[in-house]
Amino acid sequence: MVHYWSNKIQPLLPGWSHPLWGSRNRPEEAKIDTYEVMFIVIPELDEEQVENTIGRFRTIIERTGGEVGEVNNWGRRKLAYEIDHRADGFYYVMEFTAGERTLPELKRILRVSDDVLRYMIVKLPPTYARKLLPETAEVSG
Amino acid sequence: MGRRRSGPSRRERPVKSKPCVFCKENIAYVDYKDYNMLRRFTSDRGKIRARRVTGLCPQHQREAATAIKRAREMALLPYVVGR
């Protein structure tokens, strides 16, 4: 005979998780986070060298088990303020998913890359619907 | 002459409840890349405007402030204008 309260132990809904246990019971359903990285590459390079630089980061992401999604080239843009006496830079935005080693490795490489002025890695909210990015290339020379 | 004590010194105005622009447009994530939109929430000196000026709800004011700070770090927005 089944105890009358045994159904109370069952999860109420399929997606239900215990407030304390969380989703520890279902690790295989762990969500894959999407990240986005923005680079500012130094303006001294030409387009081809910039593409090579970006390709380098792409291989790092792919080698460490991540996957590169959309890559957006904003082109050469004026900076809002000078960084290292440079008034403009090449902006690239790249969406990717990360493997276990991707983020520390990417950060390490970016830190030692002299051709990257700045970078920023942001985790995108899972519900974020992709919207159109500003099509900008304000400075071209 | 001392301060006037009698009566409300400030006229009570009817409060107009204006929905926050992000709530109105149903924006879930304030993107730091959309710096032209964020520019609306900064003063002409580049400072982040107060909530009473921007009219944003607490959640979106916080998110907009974070987004502005991120945009500043990536030189999309200035830290200070006209130094």
Side-chain angles (χ1 to χ4, degrees):
Chain A
M1 188 192 158
V2 180
H3 244 284
Y4 80 98
W5 47 262
S6 65
N7 62 340
K8 290 189 179 175
I9 297 168
Q10 296 292 316
L12 301 170
L13 292 165
W16 186 87
S17 64
H18 192 277
L20 297 176
W21 299 339
S23 56
R24 200 177 57 180
N25 300 334
R26 305 174 283 131
E28 70 282 356
E29 284 180 37
K31 219 174 284 161
I32 299 166
D33 289 318
T34 314
Y35 297 84
E36 178 192 85
V37 58
M38 182 189 274
F39 316 101
I40 309 179
V41 183
I42 54 167
E44 284 88 342
L45 306 181
D46 58 36
E47 298 279 346
E48 198 182 321
Q49 288 169 308
V50 176
E51 287 293 337
N52 286 341
T53 307
I54 299 302
R56 221 168 65 219
F57 302 131
R58 182 196 282 272
T59 49
I60 289 162
I61 293 170
E62 281 165 357
R63 209 183 52 216
T64 51
E67 210 172 293
V68 178
E70 205 177 326
V71 182
N72 257 295
N73 180 3
W74 287 20
R76 197 181 168 123
R77 278 179 39 88
K78 208 172 151 75
L79 304 176
Y81 50 88
E82 278 192 7
I83 303 175
D84 294 341
H85 305 292
R86 293 180 174 98
D88 45 66
F90 292 100
Y91 277 72
Y92 272 83
V93 182
M94 194 188 267
E95 274 182 28
F96 64 98
T97 56
E100 214 164 85
R101 288 286 310 148
T102 304
L103 291 178
E105 183 68 6
L106 186 63
K107 281 182 193 167
R108 192 180 66 81
I109 300 288
L110 280 165
R111 227 182 2 251
V112 298
S113 301
D114 293 329
D115 46 6
V116 177
L117 278 183
R118 290 265 164 106
Y119 68 91
M120 181 176 282
I121 302 174
V122 172
K123 190 202 252 180
L124 295 176
T127 54
Y128 177 47
R130 256 181 226 157
K131 51 180 182 174
L132 286 172
L133 297 161
E135 301 285 332
T136 41
E138 286 181 1
V139 161
S140 57
Chain B
M1 283 279 265
R3 272 156 50 204
R4 282 194 308 175
R5 285 287 167 90
S6 61
S9 57
R10 217 182 284 169
R11 269 184 64 110
E12 297 274 334
R13 273 186 297 171
V15 180
K16 273 178 276 179
S17 66
K18 209 167 142 193
C20 139
V21 287
F22 292 122
C23 293
K24 210 164 63 187
E25 287 171 36
N26 225 341
I27 290 172
Y29 170 60
V30 184
D31 195 349
Y32 76 96
K33 298 192 299 298
D34 197 354
Y35 57 95
N36 279 325
M37 177 272 294
L38 291 173
R39 211 160 261 174
R40 284 164 43 198
F41 306 114
T42 60
S43 72
D44 46 8
R45 299 288 281 182
K47 295 164 91 176
I48 301 172
R49 287 217 161 104
R51 173 157 39 241
R52 62 170 176 276
V53 184
T54 59
L56 294 180
C57 68
Q59 185 192 340
H60 283 126
Q61 172 76 17
R62 249 183 345 250
E63 286 174 11
T66 313
I68 290 169
K69 288 168 190 172
R70 282 179 177 167
R72 280 178 183 164
E73 202 175 328
M74 294 310 285
L76 298 173
L77 288 178
Y79 281 101
V80 58
V81 179
R83 205 172 353 163

